[in-house]
Amino acid sequence: MNMITRIDPVEPNEAEPGPLDRKRRPLWQKGAFVALPVLLVAGGVSVFNRESPAVAAPPPPTVTVAQPLVRQVNEWDDYVGRFEASRSVEVRPRVSGQVVGIHFTDGAIVQKGQLLFTIDSRPFAAALAEARAGLATAQSDLALAQSDLSRAERLVAAEAVSKSDVERLQARVRAARASVAAAEARVRARGLDVEFTQVRAPIAGRISDRKVDAGNLVAAGEGAGGSLLTTINALDPIYFTFDGSEALFLKTKRAQAAGSAQSPVEIRLQDEADYRWKGGLDFTDNGLDPRSGTIRGRAVLRNPDMFLTPGMFGNMRLSAGGTAQALLIPDSAVSTDQARKIVMTVGKDGTLQPKPVTVGPVVDGLRIVRSGLTPQDRVVLAGAQVVPPGGKVQVKPGKIEPQAVATAPVVSAPVTGEATFAR
């Protein structure tokens, strides 16, 4: 089936404008068609040719600086050692016998000459009486010999007695005098035995506990051959012994050669925060231990209240010399570059400059600098971490001050017991 499409005629007013119609348009429309592309092209060119605004350089970083603190300091060397009694005596009896009395309290402080033990003195008193009797006999024999000699000397003039008889009588007198001297010596010996039955303290100090009780027999003798009754340690003054390095020995010898006084020492116990015990170095051994390269030293301290006891540990610091001027900076300002210690400073041109230094001990939070810095150097205290060496920095003034050191914790004995409620 054929479809016939209807074709409507186009009106003259609805037809597309032809070339003749464009010629009839106004002038402003014709100018718009020409100017619009030119403006678009010019605007695009200006957009692409416009430069981005310049970014301002950031200011140099700011660091806090200060000059080293200059102070007079005393330097010390640290050691660990033990306390020892300045004198120690083992009390042993000088006569054998039975202990009949003990006259001290275990662990008490005793004075020189104080009575400690009593040994039964009756056998020795009897021996003394016997010696005195022998002395009386010897004195009687001497008196008789002297009388016989006197009579013989009067008869010599009348030639009634021979000279040889007189000489024999003179020899008898001399022998009698010797017997008297021997008898007197025996009396003194027996008297000492009686005196030795009272065992007295040979020195003042703290006594140990008794090793024998009353009723026991003790034997006299030298060394281990005699019975040990007790021991006494002299505690005022008291010694502190320690092992030091060869450098300590050389330092002490050179100081003595220079005429310096006794090196002071300060000691603190394990439960103390301060060095409250004062003394001085008074002895170094006559040789170094070849195995360890150390030498034994000894300090002497006053101990009037007998608080310090032999065998106690202590931390000692020995004066390394007199008072000296030192430069101090915060310990946080010192960094480590492999084996070197480095301190960052700011030069005159405002650049960061590292300086190798030799450091010493810490005093109140400040590190002693032995070499590498001058009092005029500007040490960086904070802010150097973000700036490479040689970089420009701005400085902000700071201040170096000693820091309060926290009190060291007191070391107490471990808790090993138990507790119960009070009733």
Side-chain angles (χ1 to χ4, degrees):
M1 182 177 181
N2 293 331
M3 297 294 297
I4 299 175
T5 304
R6 178 182 174 181
I7 299 175
D8 295 328
V10 178
E11 295 293 334
N13 294 336
E14 297 179 1
E16 294 182 359
L20 296 177
D21 295 329
R22 294 191 182 96
K23 293 179 180 180
R24 297 189 188 98
R25 292 179 178 174
L27 290 177
W28 65 270
Q29 289 184 356
K30 296 178 180 181
F33 282 110
V34 177
L36 181 59
V38 175
L39 292 177
L40 292 176
V41 173
V45 172
S46 65
V47 168
F48 284 106
N49 291 337
R50 183 180 301 169
E51 296 181 357
S52 60
V55 179
T62 301
V63 296
T64 303
V65 300
Q67 292 180 339
L69 183 65
V70 181
R71 287 284 182 89
Q72 295 289 328
V73 298
N74 291 322
E75 292 196 29
W76 305 83
D77 297 322
D78 295 328
Y79 300 93
V80 178
R82 284 182 180 269
F83 288 97
E84 292 183 359
S86 56
R87 289 180 295 168
S88 183
V89 174
E90 293 182 343
V91 180
R92 301 179 185 271
R94 302 182 68 175
V95 294
S96 301
Q98 183 183 33
V99 177
V100 295
I102 299 175
H103 311 282
F104 68 93
T105 303
D106 294 348
I109 302 298
V110 297
Q111 302 301 322
K112 183 178 181 179
Q114 180 177 334
L115 180 62
L116 304 177
F117 297 89
T118 300
I119 298 174
D120 188 5
S121 62
R122 291 174 298 176
F124 305 101
L128 176 60
E130 182 181 0
R132 286 173 177 170
L135 175 60
T137 301
Q139 289 173 344
S140 177
D141 292 341
L142 175 60
L144 178 59
Q146 288 176 339
S147 178
D148 291 343
L149 178 60
S150 298
R151 284 193 299 270
E153 288 176 344
R154 287 195 300 268
L155 296 175
V156 168
E159 296 182 351
V161 178
S162 65
K163 185 177 289 187
S164 61
D165 292 338
V166 173
E167 290 176 353
R168 282 194 297 271
L169 290 174
Q170 289 175 345
R172 181 182 172 188
V173 169
R174 289 194 295 271
R177 286 175 178 169
S179 297
V180 170
E184 290 176 345
R186 284 192 293 272
V187 169
R188 289 195 297 270
R190 301 293 83 79
L192 286 176
D193 289 343
V194 174
E195 182 181 346
F196 292 155
T197 59
Q198 293 185 339
V199 181
R200 298 183 178 273
I203 60 173
R206 187 180 298 280
I207 195 169
S208 181
D209 60 334
R210 60 186 183 274
K211 306 303 180 183
V212 296
D213 294 320
N216 286 282
L217 292 175
V218 294
E222 297 181 358
S227 301
L228 179 62
L229 302 180
T230 187
T231 58
I232 302 176
N233 289 331
L235 303 182
D236 187 22
I238 192 170
Y239 290 150
F240 183 84
T241 59
F242 61 97
D243 291 327
S245 62
E246 184 176 349
L248 169 66
F249 177 75
L250 294 174
K251 183 188 300 184
T252 303
K253 286 298 183 183
R254 298 192 189 282
Q256 291 175 352
S260 63
Q262 186 184 51
S263 300
V265 300
E266 296 181 356
I267 300 175
R268 66 178 178 87
L269 305 181
Q270 63 175 345
D271 63 341
E272 294 176 341
D274 299 328
Y275 292 84
R276 53 169 296 201
W277 305 97
K278 315 294 183 182
L281 183 68
D282 74 329
F283 164 79
T284 53
D285 208 349
N286 58 356
L288 282 80
D289 187 347
R291 295 169 297 180
S292 62
T294 59
I295 188 169
R296 186 169 60 93
R298 186 181 72 193
V300 59
L301 299 86
R302 297 293 300 170
N303 187 26
D305 55 356
M306 308 287 184
F307 179 81
L308 299 176
T309 304
M312 294 173 59
F313 274 103
N315 295 322
M316 184 195 78
R317 60 184 187 184
L318 173 67
S319 177
T323 302
Q325 192 176 62
L327 300 180
L328 299 103
I329 63 175
D331 197 27
S332 58
V334 181
S335 59
T336 302
D337 181 11
Q338 294 183 352
R340 300 187 306 167
K341 298 295 184 181
I342 302 295
V343 173
M344 290 296 181
T345 62
V346 177
K348 295 181 180 180
D349 56 353
T351 60
L352 203 63
Q353 299 176 355
K355 287 191 174 183
V357 296
T358 303
V359 297
V362 176
V363 181
D364 290 345
L366 301 180
R367 177 71 68 175
I368 294 178
V369 178
R370 301 189 188 276
S371 62
L373 288 181
T374 65
Q376 291 74 31
D377 285 331
R378 295 186 294 176
V379 178
V380 177
L381 306 182
Q385 296 83 0
V386 298
V387 185
K392 287 283 187 178
V393 294
Q394 294 180 350
V395 298
K396 181 176 68 173
K399 189 175 182 181
I400 299 177
E401 293 181 343
Q403 303 173 4
V405 180
T407 303
V410 175
V411 179
S412 59
V415 179
T416 58
E418 59 183 54
T420 58
F421 289 107
R423 298 180 180 177

